[in-house]
Amino acid sequence: MRMSLRFILPLLLVLGAIAWSGAPLVGSLIERWFRADVEMRSELVFNSIRDTVVELATAPGDRKAQRRIDELFKTIAQDERLLAVGLCSPDGKLTNQSPAWPKRLACPKVTPAPHAFVVEAIETGPILVATFSLAANDSLSPRLVILHDLKFIERRSSSAEGYLAAALGLLALSAATVTVLVARITLQGWVRAVKQGLTPPAADGANDQPVPPEVAPLISNIRKILRDMDAPRGLGEAIKVDWGPESLRTLLRSELPNAEILVVSNREPYIHNDDDGQIALQRPASGLVTALEPIMRACGGTWVAHGSGSADRLTVDENDHIQVPPEAPTYTLRRIWLSEEEQDGYYFGLANEGLWPLCHIAFVRPVFRSSDWEHYVAVNRKFADAVVAECKTTNPTVLIQDYHFALLPAMIREKLPDATIITFWHIPWPNPEVFSICPWKEELLSGLLGSSILGFHTQFHCLNFLESVDRFLECHIDRERSNVRAGNATTLVRPYPISIEWPPLALAGQPPVPECRKRILERYGLKPSVRLAVGVERFDYTKGIADRFRAVGSLLERHPEWIERFTLVQVAAPTRSRLEAYRDTQVEAQNQADAINNRFGTDNWKPIILVPTHHEPDEVFTLFRAADICLVSSLHDGMNLVAKEFVAARDDEDGVLILSTFAGASRELHEALIVNPYDIQAMGEALADGLSMPAEQRRDRMRLMREIVGEHNIYFWAGRMLLDASRIRKRSNLERQIAIATTPGKPRQP
Ligand code: G6P
């Protein structure tokens, strides 16, 4: 309607102006036409009666002739437009006239030769006085005067003006209507063409139609703008920023102003346990928590997680909230309560007996139970409801963590369509053959595609995911831009190698390296001369703990000079112990350690010290600083942050890292001694190499690794994802604006 008025009003104005200025002109034209007509009629009348009048007028004294003239004049004057007819003598006297001759009108003074037409105004209005000389070329002959009423001309010209204005008005209206119709049809065509031009081609080529040439330049301009916004920022560009808490806060303020941040994970960052009637605080052994916690400390927001501690319920408020970190709160932890059955089905069952072995190639068979799946769906729904309830805005930025929540992105998207959902998969993604054994593969993929961004540690895992989508879902994959389009939603699939805080908080109170070494050697009763290797993990079968013990055996067998001169201290936090595979792992590791210790140990020395208890970050860092070697022998690992923490702990630039090639960290830490954990002998040799590596080489390697971890720290990880999220937001705002601007009749948003 508004668009139609935009066309009609100007057209009406223009045509109104034409009518206003042109109507008088038309009026005077019409007047002139009618006057010429009247003059012609006068001549006709004159010609038709001239002979009779000449004949009768030549006998002025003849009364009969005079009466006949009067009658003739009376008859002629009956014509509705003839007012009167009169005869004037050569000396200007009115000798005969029809009855309606105006009383005050005398004979015209002009001498007609042969005739004259003059307009006179009398009381009743304008008249035309047509005077004819009865004898041509004789100005002294009597004159016949015919009076015409001109009022009808005035009447006709003014109604002609009226008709003209109405006709122009009608014309304006029809022209405007036609213009609006044509404009609408053309615009709709353009909009269709622009939309089609911007829609990525369907896999089956269904929407593969040529773009009309008139909109092609517009489409290519819009495409260019969107491409520029999409262009992944190269690492080079990103590392120019010195990434830390402050730069992350600045980035949030500038790129995602007023963004509400929510993190969702299964594992909570702070666990409160009941320890003999006292409430004890525990920081869980979880790479995910290690990575995310500094970000929440920097940015604030709400972290939604399972309240798994035995004293967790005692420490929350009525909204199940607790402000953390306890020593200086900066964000809110919202705890979700799960029943035993829910934990069994969702966490131990589907997540850890199904998805964990499915995604890690460690040759542990995944178990899929329908009852576990039902709990998994229900718990994902429970977390989705909690996230929606916690949100204060309609477009929050939600950071979903890990394989416990594959369905959560789509569930949140359903309730908060404008949310920016960033999902990070902290573990590997298997190839499509392996993934195909999961009975709920389509549901898991569709759930994850509710994300705006889906992150993995490595490009390899991204490719595996895209291949799985390609194999099992109907959607469009843009490999060049690394995104998946399902319906109207696009998910960007990118590698974001996770990292740690730099410098780590746990490093702050650490004593110097020699002091750390002294404490650890004392704690485990080791001689000052012993060379120390450490391993720090959860007791998980993916970590290859028993394999590294075998490698110690191989070292001692092939290099007996290290007997009594080398010890591996293995710290391992029991984890998921309700599951048989985990209990078996612990038993196997313990047996392996015992076997090596029995074979090589002496009365005063054990090559392997296994400490199967949870250690807080401070203790772990002291251990790292005390060590000559850190041994990370994961059979398969998304990233492995222990490797990066070891590097971060060594501000003395010493220490050797032995790292599995199957851990994501090996893609970044090239200066580690990279090993295949399945090759026990090679791993034993790597231990020997590490123990005999010259100090200078150790320093050079450690420096390079510290550089990369320092630059690509956890703020860099979060910053890159948030930058991509902000680009996506800007892009969808732009698309929304284009849609509004090109949708006819749709009201503009304020
Ligand atoms: C891995 C997973 C995390 C998990 C952590 C500890 O790092 O990716 O999601 O938190 O292991 O496992 P847990 O089951 O104890 O939380």
Side-chain angles (χ1 to χ4, degrees), residues 265-268 284-289 347-348 352 356 360 401-404 425-427 457 538 540 543 574-576 582 637:
S265 74
N266 172 70
R267 186 59 66 199
E268 57 182 337
S286 157
L288 177 159
V289 170
Y347 172 74
F348 288 109
N352 286 317
W356 181 270
H360 289 92
Q401 308 304 313
D402 233 347
Y403 59 101
H404 310 90
W425 195 261
H426 289 255
I427 62 176
H457 292 297
R538 288 178 303 108
D540 197 298
K543 303 295 179 186
T575 179
R576 307 171 192 170
Y582 284 81
D637 219 330

Side-chain angles (χ1 to χ4, degrees), residues 185-198 209-223 742:
I185 292 167
T186 315
L187 199 62
Q188 275 169 2
W190 282 359
V191 170
R192 230 175 295 124
V194 169
K195 279 186 182 159
Q196 182 211 321
L198 293 176
Q209 283 167 28
V211 171
E214 60 273 26
V215 290
L218 176 65
I219 290 172
S220 82
N221 267 347
I222 296 176
R223 273 208 194 121
T742 54

Side-chain angles (χ1 to χ4, degrees), residues 109-327:
K109 290 202 175 70
V110 287
T111 306
H115 53 240
F117 302 108
V118 178
V119 176
E120 292 261 341
I122 61 166
E123 283 156 9
T124 53
I127 56 168
L128 178 79
V129 182
T131 311
F132 298 90
S133 176
L134 285 184
N137 306 327
D138 182 359
S139 58
L140 293 176
S141 74
R143 282 167 284 153
L144 183 73
V145 180
I146 302 172
L147 303 183
H148 273 274
D149 187 359
L150 290 184
K151 267 201 307 238
F152 86 98
I153 297 183
E154 253 184 12
R155 270 198 313 275
R156 285 195 183 174
S157 102
S158 82
S159 48
E161 279 174 26
Y163 285 137
L164 179 79
L168 283 177
L170 250 164
L171 181 72
L173 214 62
S174 359
T177 312
V178 171
T179 314
V180 168
L181 277 178
V182 171
R184 264 175 179 261
I185 292 167
T186 315
L187 199 62
Q188 275 169 2
W190 282 359
V191 170
R192 230 175 295 124
V194 169
K195 279 186 182 159
Q196 182 211 321
L198 293 176
T199 309
D204 57 0
N207 58 357
D208 230 1
Q209 283 167 28
V211 171
E214 60 273 26
V215 290
L218 176 65
I219 290 172
S220 82
N221 267 347
I222 296 176
R223 273 208 194 121
K224 187 179 173 309
I225 294 172
L226 295 178
R227 235 188 346 262
D228 287 351
M229 297 183 83
D230 241 10
R233 217 170 262 212
L235 288 189
E237 189 187 338
I239 59 174
K240 279 178 209 145
V241 180
D242 194 5
W243 286 98
E246 194 44 52
S247 47
L248 192 63
R249 276 192 288 265
T250 310
L251 173 109
L252 265 181
R253 274 197 300 271
S254 64
E255 295 298 314
L256 292 161
N258 307 320
E260 187 186 4
I261 304 278
L262 285 110
V263 165
V264 190
S265 74
N266 172 70
R267 186 59 66 199
E268 57 182 337
Y270 295 95
I271 305 176
H272 288 98
N273 282 320
D274 180 1
D275 185 8
D276 279 339
Q278 300 286 319
I279 293 179
L281 180 71
Q282 185 192 327
R283 287 159 219 256
S286 157
L288 177 159
V289 170
T290 308
L292 267 290
E293 218 270 330
I295 292 169
M296 287 304 273
R297 268 193 270 121
C299 304
T302 304
W303 186 328
V304 182
H306 170 213
S308 57
S310 52
D312 272 353
R313 283 178 196 262
L314 303 176
T315 51
V316 293
D317 64 15
E318 65 280 13
N319 298 315
D320 300 326
H321 287 167
I322 174 172
Q323 303 306 314
V324 287
E327 59 281 8

Side-chain angles (χ1 to χ4, degrees), residues 371-383:
S371 55
D372 290 348
W373 172 251
E374 277 155 29
H375 281 300
Y376 187 83
V377 176
V379 171
N380 271 248
R381 175 74 58 203
K382 196 176 207 176
F383 273 79

Side-chain angles (χ1 to χ4, degrees), residues 66 115 130 174 359 379 402 451 498 557 566 571 584 590 617:
Q66 293 303 313
H115 53 240
S174 359
C359 293
V379 171
D402 233 347
S451 318
I498 205 165
E557 188 181 291
F566 165 86
V571 165
D584 290 351
Q590 190 63 63

